[in-house]
Amino acid sequence: RSLVVSLFFKAFLAISRKLCDAGIIPQNSLSQEELSGADTFHTPVLRSAQLFERVSSEQNSCDPIGRPKIHSSALKQATGEAIYTDDIPRMDGELYLSLVLSTKARAKITNLDASKALSLPGVHAFFSHTDLTKHENEVGPVFHDEHVFADEEVHCVGQVVGAIVADNKALAQRAARLVQVEYEELSPIIVTIEQAIEHESYFPDSPRYVNKGNVEDAFAMADHVYEGGCRMGGQEHFYLETQAAVAIPRDSDELELFCSTQHPSEVQKLVSHVTGLPSHRIVCRAKRLGGGFGGKESRGILTALPVALAAYRLRRPIRCMLDRDEDMVMTGTRHPFLFKYKIGFTKEGLITACDIECYTNAGWSMDLSFSVLDRAMLHFENCYRIPNVRVGGWICKTNLPSNTAFRGFGGPQGMFAGEHIIRDVARIVGRDVVDVMRLNFYKTGDVTHYSQQLERFPIERCLQDCLEQSRFEEKRAQIAKFNLENRWRKRGIALVPTKYGIAFGVMHLNQGGALINIYADGSVLLAHGGVEIGQGLNIKMIQCASRSLGIPIEMIHISETSTDKVPNTSPTAASVGSDINGMAVLNACEKLNKRLAPIKKDLPNGTWQEWVNKAYFDRVSLSATGFYAIPGIGYHPETNPNARTYSYYTNGVGVGVVEIDCLTGDHQALSTDIVMDIGSSINPAIDIGQIEGAF
């Protein structure tokens, strides 16, 4: 109703302005500050500039490290030739699987009848929890608290109750709608964090705490004590390729899966669990993903497991790719958070203490929520040193699809709280927020509330560069003038610094593997444990191998990620894909270089092809595996106090200018300036693309 009135008024302003311009009504009928209310947004001509470190002039011209190299699949993706999971041509005898989803948030299943669906010609099978033992049906990425198919109870709308297998997609989906599921509704149904707090609906091990210093003493001595809070909602991953899987039974009880997953080894492991086949008979392959953002780290099992089970039982190829609405109802989002905090600070705005409670909405199962909460608790202070801290975390169990990994993995939610805190302090002490930020910034050598020393912390330089690059003060003055002159249009400018820790929170995941095969013609086939999700990981791995082996990137190819080439891989997540897999690639290259060294010594003027050819005839192995484990991490206050929690940090500062239409809520980003310190970039084109894409 409010919007309708606003649009009516907007039309009134637009018509009045035209009448003024035509001289039909006096020019002063509308005040100058009212006029812009008639305008609508039009996309401006986009202009951008990217600045990055140039390689040294002394660097070999064939060495690709530090140079902006094109994404391995860029041309194929731009022309539509890139093959994704569901682009694999249909095979003889292939069937399609469609999922039967719960329509209740919390209920007992009293009757499950697929007879109508199975009576349709072309429908081959229906699978439910009765087709698996209780043990086989219990799955989950960390804790086995989920089910392949809902067993007796459903815990959210969109939970998988069963699967129909039919000749084609349309028939499978029609049959799935004919499966009759009768429910007995249960209560309470818990959806929000507040409802979870009211019903004390938490997962075990809640709350958990991180403490530093003495917050009570610090509050007693503070000039100001303030209590506040903030909340952050969820967010859909909305990757262009939805969850998809194709499973093909092979000879001797083997299964081959093509999967849109960030974690092929996890799919392999859980398919083994569900089918009873050992892992060495299951191969999970991923050529490329049409986006992931964390949504395909653990949630890929929702399609992969039913598809694998059906292929194994029916001995026929099975395919499933979710429609967008199915994907969004089933897969969960970024974790919503509610923060309640109490802060103590001086009259100048220096923060001395913070007691903060972090509540996250996990959905119905644990999934990766513990790790997400941990990262939020360790990132809540963002770039600001707080000497006395008590941070508590609660994981709320609700009747929503299980929330999951999402770009930043709890870090953005935690930093969101830190940025609210710094603005509260600035407002109360009456100082410019940028000055209060500077006053509270960590400095090199400071120690975080989880006992990690910051060996190098360049946030001050990032801030200064960003302020200058964005002409911050000049824009702020222009915005103040614009807002005075326009009643229905307002502009705002915001500045946010970031600190992000690089490493998996779970210790054993901080490892990577690689396999390199050199063929007799000198060409190199590289396999590594990371998955190409569109982020340009493959070209970076090729660059690493190119430098190490001393050959052009054109001689190196990455076919796909596959569990039969590199076993026991970690998920491609947590911003460590380049780190762990790149180092594993270098490790494999070092082994090959050692083997080739005597041949190069004997033939100092030989070419790469000649060296490889000589090695082959001398019976020197031209295949090597590589491995890397991040050293010096795994902090624990009792068992490992000398280790670090994170391998290192990346820092950045962003300044954004936005204009909003106060009548309609429409908005437009007018300018953005971002300065990131990511060390020396392997590939500036890819890294800038990632920074811009993330923004």
Side-chain angles (χ1 to χ4, degrees):
R1 194 180 297 169
S2 172
L3 181 60
V4 169
V5 173
S6 293
L7 289 169
F8 183 82
F9 181 59
K10 205 171 179 63
F12 165 77
L13 292 174
I15 294 163
S16 300
R17 186 164 66 177
K18 282 187 177 177
L19 293 175
C20 286
D21 292 344
I24 296 169
I25 61 173
Q27 286 289 335
N28 60 357
S29 298
L30 281 178
S31 69
Q32 205 61 33
E33 64 171 18
E34 299 269 8
L35 284 176
S36 63
D39 295 334
T40 55
F41 287 118
H42 299 281
T43 305
V45 176
L46 297 177
R47 293 173 311 177
S48 65
Q50 294 85 17
L51 308 173
F52 55 89
E53 177 187 16
R54 291 177 61 181
V55 298
S56 162
S57 56
E58 295 166 16
Q59 184 171 317
N60 188 316
S61 59
C62 291
D63 182 352
I65 293 292
R67 301 184 194 275
K69 295 292 180 182
I70 189 169
H71 189 302
S72 302
S73 301
L75 299 176
K76 286 189 176 73
Q77 286 171 321
T79 57
E81 293 172 84
I83 299 292
Y84 293 89
T85 302
D86 196 44
D87 295 323
I88 296 167
R90 283 181 63 87
M91 289 155 269
D92 281 349
E94 181 180 299
L95 302 173
Y96 195 91
L97 181 142
S98 186
L99 298 169
V100 179
L101 304 179
S102 160
T103 56
K104 301 291 181 185
R106 188 177 174 216
K108 250 185 193 162
I109 299 173
T110 56
N111 186 39
L112 184 58
D113 181 7
S115 55
K116 275 189 185 172
L118 290 168
S119 67
L120 291 178
V123 174
H124 295 266
F126 172 70
F127 293 98
S128 69
H129 70 93
T130 57
D131 295 282
L132 294 166
T133 66
K134 195 169 182 65
H135 172 69
E136 288 169 342
N137 196 39
E138 291 172 345
V139 295
V142 182
F143 312 93
H144 281 207
D145 65 334
E146 296 183 40
H147 305 104
V148 181
F149 303 114
D151 181 1
E152 296 178 9
E153 256 185 57
V154 293
H155 304 279
C156 70
V157 171
Q159 188 176 347
V160 178
V161 174
I164 282 282
V165 181
D167 284 343
N168 56 60
K169 182 175 182 175
L171 178 59
Q173 289 183 331
R174 191 170 129 227
R177 288 193 291 272
L178 290 176
V179 175
Q180 292 179 309
V181 189
E182 292 173 17
Y183 302 98
E184 178 192 317
E185 294 197 40
L186 301 172
S187 61
I189 292 171
I190 299 168
V191 176
T192 65
I193 292 173
E194 285 85 353
Q195 288 171 335
I197 293 170
E198 180 190 338
H199 292 282
E200 296 186 351
S201 177
Y202 305 120
F203 281 107
D205 205 22
S206 291
R208 49 214 297 164
Y209 288 96
V210 177
N211 294 290
K212 182 190 178 189
N214 189 319
V215 290
E216 300 305 335
D217 288 356
F219 284 141
M221 296 167 66
D223 295 334
H224 298 277
V225 174
Y226 174 76
E227 291 188 43
C230 58
R231 58 165 55 251
M232 185 174 183
Q235 185 185 355
E236 282 289 350
H237 301 86
F238 213 83
Y239 25 65
L240 292 183
E241 178 198 28
T242 58
Q243 303 281 1
V246 178
I248 307 155
R250 302 293 190 195
D251 289 347
S252 312
D253 281 347
E254 294 175 14
L255 268 178
E256 184 176 27
L257 283 103
F258 295 89
C259 236
S260 187
T261 177
Q262 292 170 235
H263 200 351
S265 290
E266 180 74 15
V267 171
Q268 179 194 35
K269 184 179 87 175
L270 291 175
V271 167
S272 168
H273 172 81
V274 169
T275 59
L277 289 172
S279 291
H280 69 257
R281 291 177 184 264
I282 299 159
V283 179
C284 184
R285 300 167 64 180
K287 177 80 172 175
R288 62 174 65 85
L289 273 55
F293 318 115
K296 294 175 180 172
E297 182 176 343
S298 64
R299 297 296 81 197
I301 63 173
L302 296 174
T303 49
L305 298 186
V307 163
L309 176 71
Y312 180 59
R313 294 284 176 89
L314 300 176
R315 307 304 300 164
R316 291 176 71 170
I318 306 287
R319 178 187 305 252
C320 176
M321 182 176 182
L322 299 182
D323 284 350
R324 178 66 65 191
D325 59 329
E326 293 173 320
D327 195 298
M328 289 176 74
V329 80
M330 286 170 63
T331 57
T333 63
R334 186 189 288 285
H335 282 73
F337 266 77
L338 171 67
F339 297 97
K340 299 177 182 179
Y341 52 79
K342 181 180 178 182
I343 45 177
F345 48 99
T346 67
K347 55 183 181 293
E348 291 80 27
L350 183 70
I351 303 171
T352 55
C354 180
D355 186 356
I356 183 167
E357 296 175 350
C358 314
Y359 297 88
T360 184
N361 190 333
W364 80 270
S365 73
M366 286 191 259
D367 190 65
L368 304 169
S369 300
F370 279 96
S371 297
V372 170
L373 177 68
D374 283 347
R375 191 172 274 269
M377 290 168 68
L378 301 188
H379 279 70
F380 92 89
E381 89 296 20
N382 197 10
C383 299
Y384 312 114
R385 179 180 174 271
I386 306 176
N388 301 284
V389 169
R390 177 168 59 221
V391 51
W394 283 260
I395 300 175
C396 300
K397 185 175 185 176
T398 62
N399 298 111
L400 291 175
S402 196
N403 291 321
T404 190
F406 200 122
R407 201 168 194 158
F409 202 76
Q413 292 98 312
M415 291 186 252
F416 184 74
E419 290 305 303
H420 267 77
I421 287 168
I422 208 77
R423 281 158 180 76
D424 285 338
V425 171
R427 187 185 70 251
I428 291 164
V429 300
R431 291 188 65 185
D432 186 330
V433 70
V434 179
D435 293 338
V436 177
M437 284 177 177
R438 279 191 155 128
L439 180 66
N440 286 282
F441 273 158
Y442 279 120
K443 293 180 175 53
T444 299
D446 282 346
V447 177
T448 65
H449 62 288
Y450 46 92
S451 304
Q452 177 157 346
Q453 187 173 36
L454 302 175
E455 293 152 3
R456 177 181 163 278
F457 201 70
I459 195 67
E460 187 68 56
R461 185 175 167 195
C462 290
L463 176 72
Q464 193 54 42
D465 283 2
C466 200
L467 289 173
E468 290 170 10
Q469 176 180 302
S470 64
R471 307 194 321 277
F472 184 79
E473 294 302 336
E474 184 185 324
K475 282 182 181 171
R476 197 148 63 166
Q478 289 169 355
I479 286 166
K481 182 171 181 286
F482 179 90
N483 289 346
L484 274 175
E485 293 171 355
N486 291 273
R487 184 174 178 188
W488 303 111
R489 292 257 166 157
K490 299 295 173 188
R491 288 181 180 175
I493 189 166
L495 179 146
V496 176
T498 59
K499 166 178 69 67
Y500 189 77
I502 303 295
F504 279 104
V506 180
M507 184 62 178
H508 69 268
L509 295 179
N510 292 294
Q511 59 176 300
L515 169 68
I516 298 180
N517 295 330
I518 304 175
Y519 294 94
D521 64 352
S523 63
V524 176
L525 183 64
L526 168 60
H528 59 87
V531 178
E532 177 58 65
I533 317 174
Q535 83 282 41
L537 180 61
N538 281 352
I539 184 61
K540 286 186 174 182
M541 298 304 96
I542 288 171
Q543 286 174 274
C544 291
S546 170
R547 167 181 272 193
S548 189
L549 297 174
I551 58 175
I553 60 175
E554 290 75 20
M555 297 186 73
I556 305 167
H557 178 62
I558 295 174
S559 175
E560 63 180 0
T561 305
S562 182
T563 55
D564 62 348
K565 309 293 189 302
V566 181
N568 310 317
T569 55
S570 297
T572 303
S575 304
V576 299
S578 298
D579 294 45
I580 57 176
N581 296 298
M583 291 298 282
V585 167
L586 293 182
N587 180 240
C589 289
E590 282 166 17
K591 293 177 183 177
L592 292 164
N593 284 332
K594 273 185 188 171
R595 293 174 201 168
L596 292 171
I599 295 166
K600 290 180 181 178
K601 192 177 176 185
D602 291 345
L603 295 171
N605 297 319
T607 63
W608 170 257
Q609 281 86 350
E610 287 169 347
W611 293 330
V612 168
N613 207 253
K614 180 83 165 62
Y616 170 70
F617 282 104
D618 286 355
R619 298 182 301 174
V620 173
S621 170
L622 291 171
S623 177
T625 59
F627 183 78
Y628 178 73
I630 299 178
I633 60 168
Y635 169 78
H636 189 278
E638 290 152 20
T639 58
N640 203 4
N642 297 321
R644 306 186 306 277
T645 301
Y646 298 114
S647 181
Y648 61 94
Y649 297 89
T650 54
N651 291 103
V653 174
V655 169
V657 176
V658 175
E659 184 175 321
I660 63 167
D661 184 325
C662 301
L663 290 170
T664 62
D666 198 5
H667 67 279
Q668 190 163 64
L670 299 182
S671 71
T672 305
D673 291 86
I674 301 171
V675 172
M676 288 290 296
D677 186 314
I678 55 167
S680 288
S681 171
I682 294 173
N683 187 328
I686 295 294
D687 289 335
I688 286 169
Q690 281 292 286
I691 292 161
E692 290 185 348
F695 169 78

